[in-house]
Amino acid sequence: MSSEQPAEAPAAGNPLEGRITKPDESQPAENTEATENTGDDNQTDGAAAERGGSDLHEPDYTVEVKLSDLQADPNNPLFSVKKFEDLGLDNRILQGLSAMNFRKPSKIQERALPLLLSNPPKNLVGQSQSGTGKTAAFVLNVLSRLDLSTEQAQKTPQALILAPTRELARQIVGVIQVMGQFLDGLNIGTAVPADTNSRPSRMECSVVIGTPGTVMDWIKKRIMVANKLKVLVLDEADNMLDLQGMGDQCIRVKALLPRDIQIVLFSATFPAHVHQYASKFAPQANEITLQHEELTVEGIKQLYLDCSDEEDKYKTLVQLYGLLTVGSSIIFVKTRASASEIEKRMVAEGHTVASLTAGIEGSQRDAVIDQFRAGQAKVLITTNVLARGIDVSTVSMVINYDIPEIHGKRPSERQADFQTYLHRIGRTGRFGRVGVSISFVANREEWNMLNQIQQYFNCSIQRIDTKDWDEVEDIIKKTIKNTRAQGTFGK
């Protein structure tokens, strides 16, 4: 079985210019674009209660639509919808939406759903920040296109959703289970790296969610039959289509699928070189962009702590432990080895922590993330494998134990990885809540990388003095207790 590309570090040799998306790099407006300034209406996030559902309060967004049909008018009411009932959906899907607490479409769904659900099906490339309802949008499209009328159809893969990690794949499965709970005959399968000797002999399901390497392997070995697939979705598409990462695997998977398949790409960020490639991967696609005025994440208090060396980093982390368990916390480190070492030391000292990296077997990874979601483990140490897409609404703090950096080159100075920093801290402050991110700085190079991040995002990351832990606790607790984001911190 082929293994997945590691998600622990940015791809080697990828130029810095291709890894970042500044506000002025958004795609230029054309005559075929419609721009809509949206209000601040409240909207529930659609996650089931057992999956940490919470209130989503959308800030002001600008929705841009670019249609592949140059003769079409993107301002036409047909390309926007205010109620799910206006989409002509199966009543059982509407029941599922109601069970998810969706009362009306979110901003991205208003414009994306009419384009996704149109017939004949059209490709779509969508850029939308986390927590705006994009997962529910592509799941709704998938469910609406399934034929579940016969037992054979129910066992035949008709839709394929690709994600970069098994954790994100399992999270998408949860959304499908809730939204499709009233659809008789809906069978869901997962194609992720399996534990030793636990690979299925055949995929008998209507929807498959998986990671690219495993899906490619299973199609080639005829474990999964692909000739009836109608829809291909790539979540976190910028990461998936990075030619230095999983791009080759995605190309090979697409080559094994029917030529007339509908291709849907969604991502929170689209660096310029990936956007260009996405338009080739999904030709003649409609494009929709939910652009926020600021790229920095609102509602996240960004702090840093000075540490004298690596050992002092660890001591500072232990000192923070009491605050880490106020809600749930994620500690991001550079390598699997450091994650394992920190976990061993903290457990030996009587602290309850869990560790999750790509080096752990699948079932163990599943158990760890499930314990974290359920609140049985409140502190999770991980690598960049969990930096993208994972939604756990109770996460109130993110620790950058190691500042994310570009690997594989030998520059004159270490380069911060801006996109990974943004994705990491975005694991907190979910759905309008307030969160805290704390970066540890132990030497001049790490300080330089932190400074690069501040300059790039035009933000101020506040220093807190570890000599006064009462003050540290006061700052962090006050922030976590806030229930709503109060604008962009550090401005």
Side-chain angles (χ1 to χ4, degrees), residues 83 156 165 182 211 249 281 299 346 384 421:
K83 295 190 298 182
T156 303
T165 64
F182 301 104
T211 46
Q249 291 176 335
F281 191 89
M346 292 189 78
N384 287 337
Y421 176 83

Side-chain angles (χ1 to χ4, degrees), residues 7 13 30 44 93 107 111 175 177 189 192 198 220 229 267 276 290 292 328 339 361 375 406:
E30 298 181 9
T44 49
I93 297 177
K107 302 300 181 287
R111 305 306 300 267
V175 176
Q177 287 172 336
V192 296
S198 63
K220 285 183 175 179
L229 285 171
S267 181
Q276 186 178 11
L290 198 156
H292 196 278
S328 297
E361 273 218 329
I406 302 288

Side-chain angles (χ1 to χ4, degrees), residues 228-301:
K228 300 293 185 183
L229 285 171
K230 305 173 186 176
V231 186
L232 169 65
V233 178
L234 268 64
D235 196 12
E236 297 293 338
D238 65 330
N239 184 234
M240 303 275 279
L241 292 179
D242 188 336
L243 290 173
Q244 301 285 343
M246 296 185 181
D248 290 341
Q249 291 176 335
C250 290
I251 293 168
R252 290 171 189 161
V253 169
K254 185 189 170 190
L256 299 170
L257 307 183
R259 288 191 174 185
D260 60 349
I261 196 168
Q262 181 189 28
I263 300 172
V264 178
L265 310 180
F266 266 117
S267 181
T269 53
F270 267 115
H273 76 293
V274 180
H275 183 275
Q276 186 178 11
Y277 182 64
S279 62
K280 296 178 182 177
F281 191 89
Q284 296 180 305
N286 293 314
E287 293 188 28
I288 186 162
T289 305
L290 198 156
Q291 283 282 13
H292 196 278
E293 290 179 3
E294 301 291 340
L295 190 60
T296 48
V297 179
E298 290 192 356
I300 299 176
K301 183 80 168 176

Side-chain angles (χ1 to χ4, degrees), residues 412-424:
S412 56
E413 64 173 11
R414 289 162 70 184
Q415 296 278 348
D417 185 339
F418 307 121
Q419 290 296 312
T420 297
Y421 176 83
L422 188 64
H423 280 284
R424 277 186 182 184

Side-chain angles (χ1 to χ4, degrees), residues 141-338:
N141 175 57
V142 162
L143 294 180
S144 70
R145 295 197 181 279
L146 297 179
D147 172 13
L148 303 176
S149 59
T150 66
E151 185 177 349
Q152 183 59 42
Q154 294 164 13
K155 293 181 178 180
T156 303
Q158 300 173 50
L160 172 62
I161 302 172
L162 294 179
T165 64
R166 69 181 293 121
E167 284 72 30
L168 185 53
R170 292 181 73 238
Q171 183 171 286
I172 294 168
V173 168
V175 176
I176 298 173
Q177 287 172 336
V178 178
M179 191 184 291
Q181 63 184 291
F182 301 104
L183 287 172
D184 296 330
L186 174 63
N187 295 312
I188 307 166
T190 53
V192 296
D195 292 353
T196 309
N197 299 323
S198 63
R199 186 175 68 187
S201 57
R202 190 172 182 85
M203 294 290 283
E204 294 188 333
C205 54
S206 40
V207 182
V208 178
I209 303 92
T211 46
T214 302
V215 168
M216 179 176 65
D217 187 52
W218 289 8
I219 292 175
K220 285 183 175 179
K221 293 178 178 175
R222 306 211 46 87
I223 294 170
M224 174 181 166
V225 177
N227 62 355
K228 300 293 185 183
L229 285 171
K230 305 173 186 176
V231 186
L232 169 65
V233 178
L234 268 64
D235 196 12
E236 297 293 338
D238 65 330
N239 184 234
M240 303 275 279
L241 292 179
D242 188 336
L243 290 173
Q244 301 285 343
M246 296 185 181
D248 290 341
Q249 291 176 335
C250 290
I251 293 168
R252 290 171 189 161
V253 169
K254 185 189 170 190
L256 299 170
L257 307 183
R259 288 191 174 185
D260 60 349
I261 196 168
Q262 181 189 28
I263 300 172
V264 178
L265 310 180
F266 266 117
S267 181
T269 53
F270 267 115
H273 76 293
V274 180
H275 183 275
Q276 186 178 11
Y277 182 64
S279 62
K280 296 178 182 177
F281 191 89
Q284 296 180 305
N286 293 314
E287 293 188 28
I288 186 162
T289 305
L290 198 156
Q291 283 282 13
H292 196 278
E293 290 179 3
E294 301 291 340
L295 190 60
T296 48
V297 179
E298 290 192 356
I300 299 176
K301 183 80 168 176
Q302 298 176 64
L303 310 169
Y304 78 92
L305 292 174
D306 270 327
C307 306
S308 55
D309 52 29
E310 287 296 316
E311 181 59 25
D312 191 37
K313 268 189 185 182
Y314 175 76
K315 290 177 180 175
T316 301
L317 183 65
V318 171
Q319 190 88 25
L320 275 172
Y321 181 81
L323 293 173
L324 296 175
T325 54
V326 170
S328 297
S329 300
I330 301 178
I331 302 163
F332 284 104
V333 297
K334 190 188 304 184
T335 65
R336 301 176 189 178
S338 20

